[in-house]
Amino acid sequence: MKKNHLLSLLAGLSLCAASCGGPTAETDAVIPRPASVEKRSGACRLASPLALSFDAPAEVADALTAYLRTTPLAVRTDDPQASDGYLRLTVAASPELPASEEGYVLSVLPEGVSVASRGEAGLFYGIQTLLQLQEQFGDRIPAQRITDSPRFSYRGMHLDEARHFFGKEFVKKQLRMMASLKLNRFHWHLTDGAGWRIEIDRYPELTELAAWRPIEGWQPWPYCRRDDPNAYGGFYTKDDIREVVAYADSLHITVIPEIEMPGHSEEVLAVYPHLSCAGKPHVYDDFCIGNDATFEFLENVLEEVMELFPSEYIHVGGDEATKKGWPTCPKCRARMQREGLKDVDELQSYAVHRLEAFLNARGRRLLGWDEILQGGLAPNAAVMSWRGESGGREAAASGHPVVMVPGSYCYLDKYQGNPSTEPEALEGSVPLPKTYMYEPAPQDMPGRERVLGVQANLWTERIATPEYAEYMLYPRVFAVAEIAWSAPELKDYEDFRRRALMRIDAVRAKGYNTFDLAGSVRGERPESLEEVRHLAVGCPVTYASEWYEGYPADGPGSLTDGKLGSWTYGYRWLGFLNTDVEATVDLGAVKPIREVKADFLQWRSAFIGLPKRVEIAVSSDGERFTVLGGEENDLPFDDPKLQCRAFGWTGEAEARYVRCHAFSHGHPGGWLFIDEIIVN
Ligand code: ACM
C-alpha cells in the first residue's frame, strides 16, 4: 500500500516538474534518436484524417492499415490519390533508402507524410517516429525529413514473470512501449524456482501446483494447489501465449521464451522429485544430469514450447546452477564416467550440448546465459552476457553470436536513484546515465561484429506490482533502446535526458508509471560527482589488513584519491571481509590538522555494515602513535537502508602519519566498505 502511494506521488510530482519546466522549442524528442533529421519549412497538419495509400504488397498494406487503426493517427482509405493531407507508405528497393529492411525515410511536408522503406518493418518504424512526433507536437508536426536505421538487429527487453506474475494485459502494454521504442525482442522468463508460468499439456502438474504459492513473497518456495484459498501466482494458457506471440508479431517483436535449466528449477523438482539428484523436493535447485528422464522431460517441454513460439532462438537459461548434487549423485557420476567428463562444469556443458542438438535438429538455435561457456560452449550456441562483459567477449572472440546484458548497466532491478529513499531494489545502482553510456560493442572487442545487440533485463524478486515494474523499466528502457538503435557517435546524455523527460510526459499520459527523472539530477550519489579537496589527496597509504580481491576500488591509493564512492559498492569502495580496516596515511611532512574522517557504507542486504567504532591516531615518526579520539557507530547493522557515513575526530594536532582504525561490526561474513580518508 505504502509503496504504491509513494509511486503515484512521485509520478504526480514529476509530471508537474516536466511540463512546467520542460523544453518548449520545436526540437524533436524522438527516442531512439534518428540517424539524420533535416528540417524543412512549414508544418503538416493532422487535424483531419490523413488519406492513406500504399505502394506495397497487399499483405503489408493490410497489416499496416489494421495497425494504424489502433493508433491515435487518424487515417481514411477512401482517397488513395489524394495530393494533400496524405499518408503514403512505400516499399521499394531504391538505393536512396537505408540498406536495412528496418530502416526508413520519413518525410513530413505541409501537404502530407510519406514513409519509404525496403521492408514492412521499416514502414512500421517510420510510423513509430511519426506517432512520437504527434505525441510531442499534436496536430501540427514541423516539416522535416528523417533518414533512420538501426545499429543492432537484436534490441531486447526481458521480463521475469516467474518471481511475480503480471498477466497478459500488462505484457501487451509493455510490448506497445517496446514497439514505440523500436525494440524488437521480448525475452520472456517464464520458469524459475519461484513459479512455472506456461501451460504444458504433457505435464499439467506444472501449472496445477508449481505456478502457485501460498504467499506473495518470492522466497522460500512452498507451492500450493491452484484451488488453495491463498494461492498466489498464475500461468499462461496456450491460448494466452498464442495471443501474446501474435500481438507481438503485429508490433514487429519476436518473443523469445526462456525455460530455465539445469539450475533455478526448484519448482519443477517440487512436482517431479525424481528429476532431482536427491529424489525428493527442496534439496537441490538443479536437474539431475545423469538421469535420462531429465532429458525426456526437457525435450518434451521444449517440443511444446517450440509449437507456441516461432522464434529462431530458444533461451534455455543455464545460469547459476549450484551443481551441488552432481558430484555425489550415482547417476551423474556414471554419466561423467561414460562420457569422459572431468568435472561438473563439463557435465553441465554435456547437458547444454545435448539440448542444443535437440533444438538444432528442429531448426532452432540455443541461447543461454554466459555460464553455458563453462566446460565448453556448444558449437552453435549464442551467449547472453550478464556477469559483466567477459562472457560476451569470450564467446564473440570464438565465433559465437552474443547479446550484451551486463548487470552493471542493463539490470533494471537495481536502484536508479538514492537507495535510502527509493523503494526496495536489488543492491547496486544503475542510474539512467550509466545505462545510457553503455557501449555493447567497443572498438577493441575482438569479434564485435558478432554482437547481435543489447537488452534491458527486469528480474522481479523485489518487484511485486505492475506499477513498480514500470517504475523500474522506464525511463531506463528508453536508454537501452537508444543504445540498441542509434549510432554511438550520436550519443549525448544531456540531449537524451531532455528527450526522455518529454517522452515520460507522453507515456504517463498513456497510463505508464515511471521513475521521477525530473526530480533526479544524475541518479547518483551527489558526493561522488565532485572531487573532495583535502590535505591527504595523493598521499601514500599503508594497510595493516588486506582488502578483498573482488573489491579493490582503484588500488592502494583509493582512500586518498579525492573521490567518494557511488551508490554501487563495486565502484570506488574498498571492501574488507571479516576484518578491521587499519590504514595509515603519510602526509609527507608534519602538518597541522584539525579533522580526520573516514567514509563508510552500510547496505544490509549486501551484508555491508558500518564499523563499530573508528579510532584516529597520529604520529610524527610513523612508529609511536598517539590516539586522538574516535567515534562510535549507533546505526544498527539491521537497518535496511543504504547509508554513507563518515566517522572520525576533530580538534587541533600536528602529525605526519594519520592512522584510521575502523573496528569490524563483528557479523561473520560481513563487510566493511570504505572510500576515503579525509584529512583537513
Ligand atoms: C541472471 O541474472 N541470473 C541471469
Side-chain angles (χ1 to χ4, degrees):
M1 245 346 244
K2 243 186 186 158
K3 197 179 275 174
N4 288 344
H5 179 68
L6 172 69
L7 293 176
S8 46
L9 183 69
L10 289 171
L13 278 176
S14 139
L15 195 63
C16 173
S19 51
C20 306
T24 52
E26 287 205 343
T27 22
D28 292 355
V30 175
I31 293 178
R33 184 172 175 169
S36 132
V37 179
E38 295 160 47
K39 295 288 177 186
R40 301 278 194 264
S41 56
C44 177
R45 300 199 65 89
L46 302 181
S48 39
L50 295 174
L52 181 61
S53 67
F54 286 92
D55 183 359
E59 64 275 13
V60 173
D62 290 348
L64 292 178
T65 305
Y67 172 69
L68 282 164
R69 298 241 182 262
T70 69
T71 74
L73 197 67
V75 292
R76 58 197 174 96
T77 49
D78 57 354
D79 187 7
Q81 306 303 328
S83 56
D84 198 29
Y86 57 81
L87 172 58
R88 191 166 299 143
L89 303 178
T90 304
V91 171
S94 158
E96 261 135 66
L97 292 173
S100 162
E101 294 211 342
E102 293 185 306
Y104 63 91
V105 174
L106 166 66
S107 172
V108 179
L109 296 170
E111 58 271 26
V113 178
S114 52
V115 189
S117 170
R118 291 173 189 267
E120 181 183 333
L123 294 185
F124 183 79
Y125 291 133
I127 292 169
Q128 297 314 313
T129 300
L130 182 61
L131 287 166
Q132 285 198 14
L133 291 171
Q134 184 191 23
E135 282 169 5
Q136 182 183 356
F137 295 107
D139 66 3
R140 194 183 166 282
I141 301 183
Q144 54 193 299
R145 179 186 160 92
I146 294 180
T147 307
D148 200 8
S149 87
R151 177 177 181 197
F152 291 112
S153 62
Y154 186 117
R155 304 181 299 276
M157 189 176 109
H158 151 285
L159 179 69
D160 165 16
E161 283 206 274
R163 275 53 176 265
H164 289 285
F165 180 75
F166 304 113
K168 71 181 174 192
E169 292 313 319
F170 175 81
V171 169
K172 286 160 85 176
K173 185 179 175 195
Q174 310 322 311
L175 291 171
R176 289 193 289 279
M177 177 74 96
M178 284 180 66
S180 156
L181 296 167
K182 305 185 175 82
L183 293 169
N184 65 353
R185 297 287 183 276
F186 177 56
H187 171 176
W188 209 358
H189 187 76
L190 286 165
T191 74
D192 210 302
W196 182 279
R197 306 291 176 212
I198 170 172
E199 179 176 45
I200 301 293
D201 295 333
R202 207 168 171 136
Y203 302 108
E205 297 84 358
L206 289 170
T207 41
E208 275 302 313
L209 187 67
W212 307 95
R213 308 190 295 259
I215 49 162
E216 271 197 34
W218 66 280
Q219 238 181 353
W221 299 314
Y223 306 95
C224 62
R225 298 208 78 82
R226 187 180 179 180
D227 54 10
D228 185 295
N230 294 319
Y232 172 86
F235 68 91
Y236 291 105
T237 64
K238 290 198 159 176
D239 280 344
D240 291 335
I241 300 262
R242 285 187 198 99
E243 184 181 329
V244 169
V245 168
Y247 189 69
D249 185 57
S250 76
L251 300 173
H252 292 267
I253 296 168
T254 302
V255 185
I256 299 177
E258 181 184 351
I259 306 296
E260 268 279 12
M261 57 194 81
H264 283 276
S265 298
E266 297 91 327
E267 85 291 23
V268 178
L269 304 179
V271 179
Y272 302 119
H274 68 288
L275 302 180
S276 162
C277 294
K280 51 186 181 194
H282 310 305
V283 181
Y284 298 122
D285 305 358
D286 316 323
F287 283 101
C288 172
I289 305 299
N291 190 348
D292 277 328
T294 292
F295 291 93
E296 188 188 329
F297 170 83
L298 291 173
E299 290 174 5
N300 286 338
V301 167
L302 288 174
E303 201 76 75
E304 292 192 35
V305 166
M306 285 185 285
E307 278 166 21
L308 292 168
F309 295 91
S311 56
E312 175 189 14
Y313 284 104
I314 302 290
H315 200 305
V316 299
D319 60 316
E320 298 182 311
T322 68
K323 305 170 185 157
K324 279 192 188 149
W326 301 348
T328 52
C329 165
K331 289 191 185 115
C332 287
R333 289 165 67 99
R335 169 90 70 206
M336 288 170 72
Q337 199 162 32
R338 254 193 335 271
E339 302 288 339
L341 308 170
K342 73 172 188 307
D343 57 22
V344 288
D345 284 351
E346 290 196 359
L347 185 62
Q348 171 171 293
S349 168
Y350 163 87
V352 177
H353 274 74
R354 190 162 160 177
L355 292 163
E356 169 167 275
F358 177 80
L359 292 175
N360 288 171
R362 285 150 188 82
R364 306 302 183 95
R365 304 185 69 176
L366 181 143
L367 176 58
W369 301 109
D370 56 58
E371 288 92 329
I372 65 172
L373 284 151
Q374 294 162 357
L377 188 54
N380 305 311
V383 168
M384 200 167 252
S385 188
W386 73 280
R387 295 175 308 160
E389 296 165 77
S390 57
R393 283 177 171 262
E394 183 184 334
S398 62
H400 292 261
V402 301
V403 179
M404 299 304 285
V405 297
S408 46
Y409 301 94
C410 299
Y411 269 40
L412 308 190
D413 52 340
K414 298 189 186 189
Y415 286 91
Q416 57 194 319
N418 185 346
S420 59
T421 51
E422 284 295 299
E424 189 195 352
L426 181 65
E427 65 271 3
S429 167
V430 177
L432 183 68
K434 183 141 192 227
T435 303
Y436 185 75
M437 292 319 293
Y438 177 54
E439 169 47 58
Q443 294 289 345
D444 69 349
M445 176 178 182
R448 65 194 285 266
E449 66 283 0
R450 297 192 192 92
V451 175
L452 299 176
V454 59
Q455 174 172 287
N457 281 4
L458 191 69
W459 299 101
T460 59
E461 285 92 337
R462 294 162 185 79
I463 297 174
T465 67
E467 294 79 17
Y468 188 31
E470 289 180 354
Y471 179 87
M472 296 303 266
L473 287 169
Y474 311 116
R476 288 182 290 183
V477 170
F478 300 177
V480 173
E482 186 142 317
I483 299 169
W485 179 279
S486 307
E489 308 80 71
L490 294 179
K491 255 188 190 174
D492 172 346
Y493 178 71
E494 290 311 323
D495 180 66
F496 169 74
R497 184 172 188 275
R498 172 189 71 81
R499 287 177 285 124
L501 286 168
M502 296 178 89
R503 284 275 81 229
I504 283 173
D505 275 0
V507 305
R508 283 183 172 174
K510 291 195 278 190
Y512 291 89
N513 191 28
T514 77
F515 172 69
D516 174 20
L517 180 63
S520 136
V521 183
R522 293 203 47 109
E524 194 40 276
R525 183 184 175 206
E527 295 83 353
S528 69
L529 300 175
E530 281 185 28
E531 298 211 352
V532 190
R533 290 175 194 277
H534 60 92
L535 216 53
V537 170
C539 294
V541 186
T542 50
Y543 297 84
S545 50
E546 291 195 2
W547 58 81
Y548 184 78
E549 61 179 13
Y551 296 108
D554 295 316
S558 304
L559 298 188
T560 51
D561 60 4
K563 293 175 185 156
L564 296 186
S566 71
W567 285 322
T568 302
Y569 55 80
Y571 186 61
R572 293 188 182 163
W573 292 98
L574 208 47
F576 292 80
L577 179 62
N578 290 328
T579 175
D580 293 2
V581 181
E582 197 181 309
T584 305
V585 180
D586 178 0
L587 298 175
V590 173
K591 295 183 180 172
I593 58 171
R594 51 186 168 72
E595 177 187 55
V596 181
K597 53 185 183 175
D599 196 46
F600 287 87
L601 176 74
Q602 170 150 318
W603 205 331
R604 172 69 184 87
S605 55
F607 228 60
I608 301 168
L610 294 174
K612 186 158 48 183
R613 170 179 166 74
V614 173
E615 199 169 83
I616 306 299
V618 292
S619 163
S620 11
D621 59 8
E623 290 184 0
R624 281 163 298 132
F625 279 80
T626 310
V627 174
L628 294 179
E631 206 172 339
E632 301 284 330
N633 168 40
D634 59 4
L635 186 79
F637 184 74
D638 281 348
D639 192 288
K641 285 291 182 190
L642 175 140
Q643 310 261 344
C644 300
R645 278 202 196 175
F647 299 88
W649 157 90
T650 51
E652 303 272 341
E654 294 208 331
R656 170 170 172 179
Y657 298 92
V658 176
R659 177 180 295 165
C660 161
H661 185 169
F663 293 84
S664 164
H665 46 67
H667 293 269
W671 299 85
L672 289 179
F673 272 71
I674 176 170
D675 61 350
E676 191 79 359
I677 296 175
I678 298 167
V679 182
N680 285 306

